[in-house]
Amino acid sequence: FSLFIKKASVCRYQPENLEQLQSQTHFTRQELQLLYRGFKNECPSGVVNEDTFKNIYAVFFPLGDSSKYAQFLFNAFDKDKNGSLSFEELVCDLSVLLRGTTEEKLNWAFNLYDINKDGLITKEEMLDILKSIYDLMGKSIHPRLKEEAVRQHVSIFFQVLLFYNIIMGKCNYAYIFGKYVQFCFV
């Protein structure tokens, strides 16, 4: 009897109605039901904390260290910054990544790279993300890139961006949100 009481007192998360979620995403009702079943199978409590997210992500990248990149992804998915991901948060972002418009995908990518959420992507933020991607790939990258090569890639990217900004009459080493989208569509 006491086990039943404990089980009943466990807080379980339930998603909002499927019709609302369907209107907010590019998924059908049937797809949402299938996604939710898979989500509940992996996360019975109905939410995912950062450690669980990192553990799940590590399964897909066993040859490298996925922890830093998984942390960046978790922070991009965690819209309300409460330290856990709900089904809605995950499915809305998956909808953008899988079926969103080019602009929606660019906005999502900007949010990922803007680590401190100040509306800018600095060289340091881009370097952190790229290093985490190379760490994620681990032993599958031959030859293994040194950090200096990654720094060089970021530097070249920002040189191209600076050239673009000079042409547009702006001179800024930070990647400003509006310019990011405009730069990508030119």
Side-chain angles (χ1 to χ4, degrees):
F1 183 70
S2 63
L3 181 62
F4 176 73
I5 293 173
K6 279 186 179 179
K7 262 192 160 176
S9 67
V10 172
C11 181
R12 295 211 181 260
Y13 174 83
Q14 295 287 325
E16 295 176 15
N17 71 47
L18 284 179
E19 288 76 24
Q20 181 180 357
L21 200 50
Q22 187 178 349
S23 72
Q24 295 171 342
T25 67
H26 302 285
F27 292 121
T28 66
R29 180 180 180 84
Q30 292 77 22
E31 289 170 326
L32 288 169
Q33 289 171 331
L34 184 63
L35 287 168
Y36 185 64
R37 269 188 240 123
F39 180 80
K40 284 293 284 186
N41 196 33
E42 290 298 319
C43 308
S45 69
V47 292
V48 180
N49 65 27
E50 187 173 337
D51 288 336
T52 303
F53 186 82
K54 286 179 178 180
N55 291 336
I56 292 169
Y57 211 78
V59 171
F60 294 100
F61 296 94
L63 298 178
D65 178 4
S66 63
S67 62
K68 196 66 176 170
Y69 189 71
Q71 176 189 352
F72 293 140
L73 276 181
F74 183 88
N75 290 335
F77 284 138
D78 187 15
K79 300 291 188 245
D80 60 8
K81 304 299 176 212
N82 68 353
S84 64
L85 302 180
S86 67
F87 176 70
E88 285 89 352
E89 286 174 309
L90 282 171
V91 82
C92 285
D93 282 352
L94 283 176
S95 174
V96 167
L97 292 171
L98 296 173
R99 298 184 180 161
T101 65
T102 301
E103 188 169 354
E104 287 172 329
K105 290 175 183 179
L106 288 170
N107 289 339
W108 193 94
F110 185 91
N111 181 52
L112 173 66
Y113 278 76
D114 182 16
I115 296 170
N116 66 4
K117 308 299 181 228
D118 65 354
L120 305 172
I121 297 174
T122 64
K123 280 184 176 182
E124 293 75 25
E125 287 171 317
M126 185 169 284
L127 182 63
D128 287 344
I129 295 284
L130 289 179
K131 284 191 320 191
S132 74
I133 292 170
Y134 286 118
D135 289 344
L136 168 92
M137 299 308 294
K139 298 173 186 169
S140 66
I141 298 176
H142 297 288
R144 180 87 172 126
L145 280 178
K146 294 188 167 111
E147 186 173 328
E148 188 51 42
V150 180
R151 284 186 184 285
Q152 218 171 15
H153 293 161
V154 170
S155 183
I156 290 168
F157 176 82
F158 273 85
Q159 286 173 5
V160 169
L161 180 64
L162 180 60
F163 178 75
Y164 172 77
N165 282 337
I166 289 170
I167 289 172
M168 297 303 292
K170 307 233 183 231
C171 204
N172 189 346
Y173 273 104
Y175 214 0
I176 300 172
F177 178 71
K179 291 295 177 198
Y180 174 77
V181 173
Q182 184 179 0
F183 182 72
C184 292
F185 284 126
V186 169

